[in-house]
Amino acid sequence: MKLVGKYIDKRNGSGHVTLRPEDDEDIWHLYNLIQQDDLVKAPAVRRVQNVSATGSTESHRVKLNLKIQVSRVEYSSSGGGQPSSSDQTSQGSSSTPNVQSTATLHISGKVVSENQYVRLGAFHTLDIEINRDIRVEKSEGWDSILSLSRRRILQVGAVVCGEGSAAFCLLSQHLTLVTHRISTSIPRKASASGSSQYEKAMTKFYSMVYDAFLRHIPFGNPSLRAIVFASPGWVRESVYTWMTNEASRRGDKLLARSLREKTLKVHISSPHVHSLMEVLKSPEVLKETKFAREGIVLDKFFKMLASDEMRAWYGPDHVCLAADRGAVGTLLISDELFRSSDPKTRKKFVSLVEGVQRKGGEVVIFSSMHESGQQLNQLTGIAAILTFPLDVEVVEAEEREAAEEAEKNKQEESEGKVG
């Protein structure tokens, strides 16, 4: 993400920034950044109708900059697509693939700036594109969770495969994109003839994986730190061996060197994308990446929940109670909670994060586009590993007693004033 310009009022934090998204992950950051009632200005194309003196109408498209007050923000990633049973590719030497953007961001709202083509109050949807500037203005102010200029780069390309199936994934710190899928039937080898058919089908499958890999994994990109082949059983070894042999046969030196220098082979329990959690927790991947910290912390929380549940709390109310007592050692929180349309709810979680950090606790913000973030979302989106054990029932009883005492004191004060 490139920060083109900004103005932030130091007194109340309000102001605007102009950003230029440069890849899919930047589009994801914008989705987390933009909230309801923000003011957004970006390029747009609008169909305009003109009525001539004779009464005939003519419509044409005009390019203009529109400023809207946000009412809805929608993010989608079309990289997964549908499973493909075949791939038509050219033979010969390959070049580094150009992985195109698959993420889209649609921002809808009322037009708030006067324009000769669009009346005030008209609804419009801005389609945010890569390398197009967008200005975001927040009257409520920019809080500490919003990162305006952080740049995250691609770190891992992964091929999750089984017999006849493969998913091609790109992973960075906040995003997991499934860029392509392959699915083809593989006959069973119960006889000599069946064995021959099996070998032919597997050879075709390997060829499909190779050609799809060239198009969907940017193996020559310097920021790609690892190429992971993951599968149950022996498939990952066979795919890797076939690809290295094929790269040598075709004389593709760049691919051969990338496979030799960057490849990691990881065992997983099933040939499905959700098994990426196992990939991220593997020691080989941990050494090559920075974002696997999320998976480690979540795994630690679940182990704590099983062995010492008084030190593993989850749910907004319970975690806030633990934070009030200074007991939170590690806070696990999903980025979905910061996208609340209610400003009070967002401020509540921002204050929680800042309070934990002030008391020396660690805060790990999980991306809901990662498998670990999706698991945390199933657990209310927030959890905590405590530095010392607390009994939930005892804490809740203390809170009720404190509330009753406060109410009693309030009544006594009011009665005293009346008397």
Side-chain angles (χ1 to χ4, degrees):
M1 184 90 72
K2 185 174 182 179
L3 181 61
V4 179
K6 71 173 181 178
Y7 169 75
I8 306 294
D9 191 324
K10 295 181 180 179
R11 294 171 297 179
N12 55 18
S14 63
H16 61 80
V17 298
T18 302
L19 302 167
R20 183 177 301 155
E22 297 175 314
D23 55 27
D24 283 351
E25 188 160 358
D26 290 343
I27 296 294
W28 172 249
H29 282 308
L30 281 176
Y31 173 59
N32 286 297
L33 191 73
I34 297 170
Q35 300 170 272
Q36 188 174 341
D37 294 329
D38 287 349
L39 300 179
V40 172
K41 186 176 182 180
V45 176
R46 185 88 174 188
R47 182 180 294 277
V48 177
Q49 288 188 339
N50 295 326
V51 181
S52 65
T54 60
S56 61
T57 60
E58 178 186 358
S59 66
H60 61 281
R61 293 180 177 272
V62 295
K63 293 183 179 180
L64 62 160
N65 282 325
L66 284 182
K67 186 176 183 180
I68 65 172
Q69 184 174 23
V70 178
S71 60
R72 185 175 62 182
V73 184
E74 293 182 346
Y75 172 90
S76 64
S77 174
S78 58
Q82 296 297 322
S84 171
S85 60
S86 64
D87 277 303
Q88 301 297 324
T89 58
S90 59
Q91 300 292 322
S93 298
S94 69
S95 59
T96 301
N98 180 20
V99 179
Q100 297 183 353
S101 171
T102 59
T104 57
L105 186 64
H106 308 292
I107 306 172
S108 304
K110 291 183 178 180
V111 176
V112 295
S113 62
E114 190 172 356
N115 190 290
Q116 69 178 101
Y117 297 108
V118 184
R119 72 180 188 277
L120 288 175
F123 275 90
H124 187 84
T125 297
L126 297 173
D127 298 320
I128 305 304
E129 299 177 358
I130 286 175
N131 294 321
R132 298 282 180 88
D133 292 357
I134 174 174
R135 173 173 150 160
V136 183
E137 182 177 341
K138 290 181 176 288
S139 58
E140 294 288 331
W142 298 81
D143 57 52
S144 62
I145 300 301
L146 301 174
S147 176
L148 305 185
S149 60
R150 61 180 170 180
R151 177 84 173 109
R152 302 297 184 186
I153 58 176
L154 176 68
Q155 290 194 35
V156 174
V159 182
V160 180
C161 49
E163 285 190 70
S165 67
F168 299 81
C169 311
L170 298 177
L171 294 85
S172 59
Q173 181 161 1
H174 295 90
L175 209 59
T176 299
L177 292 177
V178 181
T179 59
H180 191 64
R181 295 178 190 267
I182 286 175
S183 179
T184 186
S185 60
I186 304 294
R188 300 175 65 181
K189 50 176 182 179
S191 61
S193 59
S195 178
S196 175
Q197 293 297 319
Y198 173 84
E199 291 173 0
K200 288 180 181 179
M202 288 302 295
T203 299
K204 179 183 177 183
F205 169 65
Y206 294 147
S207 179
M208 292 165 60
V209 170
Y210 182 94
D211 293 331
F213 185 93
L214 298 184
R215 292 200 307 275
H216 299 288
I217 303 295
F219 52 85
N221 191 326
S223 65
L224 189 74
R225 302 186 59 180
I227 298 171
V228 176
F229 291 91
S231 76
W234 49 266
V235 179
R236 61 187 180 279
E237 296 286 351
S238 299
V239 169
Y240 172 75
T241 301
W242 202 93
M243 288 191 62
T244 53
N245 292 340
E246 186 68 6
S248 299
R249 187 183 71 81
R250 298 190 187 188
D252 193 334
K253 295 181 179 179
L254 176 60
L255 176 58
R257 185 174 68 252
S258 298
L259 289 173
R260 185 172 61 254
E261 296 176 353
K262 298 181 179 181
T263 292
L264 301 172
K265 288 170 275 188
V266 178
H267 173 79
I268 53 177
S269 57
S270 67
H272 302 293
V273 174
H274 63 74
S275 295
L276 282 173
M277 269 298 294
E278 298 174 45
V279 172
L280 295 179
K281 289 190 291 185
S282 66
E284 302 96 326
V285 177
L286 289 178
K287 288 190 296 184
E288 297 294 333
T289 61
K290 299 177 181 178
F291 57 82
R293 173 66 179 160
E294 297 177 7
I296 296 173
V297 172
L298 187 63
D299 192 45
K300 182 180 178 182
F301 171 81
F302 281 124
K303 288 179 179 178
M304 185 67 73
L305 186 63
S307 63
D308 187 0
E309 62 179 14
M310 288 189 183
R311 290 186 57 198
W313 286 27
Y314 62 92
D317 294 337
H318 288 169
V319 171
C320 286
L321 289 176
D324 290 340
R325 284 157 174 75
V328 175
T330 304
L331 176 66
L332 298 73
I333 186 166
S334 170
D335 57 11
E336 275 198 354
L337 299 181
F338 299 113
R339 291 200 297 271
S340 172
S341 58
D342 182 7
K344 292 182 179 180
T345 301
R346 178 184 171 86
K347 288 179 179 178
K348 170 187 173 182
F349 290 117
V350 170
S351 298
L352 173 63
V353 167
E354 293 174 344
V356 169
Q357 290 174 332
R358 279 196 303 270
K359 294 174 182 177
E362 179 188 10
V363 176
V364 182
I365 299 178
F366 285 65
S367 169
S368 55
M369 288 296 286
H370 266 315
E371 290 295 323
S372 56
Q374 292 168 14
Q375 285 191 18
L376 183 60
N377 286 338
Q378 294 174 3
L379 207 67
T380 73
I382 186 169
I385 300 172
L386 308 190
T387 54
F388 53 87
L390 285 176
D391 190 317
V392 173
E393 295 181 357
V394 172
V395 171
E396 288 180 337
E398 291 175 352
E399 288 294 311
R400 285 194 298 269
E401 290 176 5
E404 292 171 358
E405 185 68 24
E407 181 65 25
K408 181 179 178 181
N409 292 337
K410 185 177 179 181
Q411 290 178 356
E412 291 176 351
E413 288 178 5
S414 62
E415 290 173 358
K417 290 179 180 179
V418 172

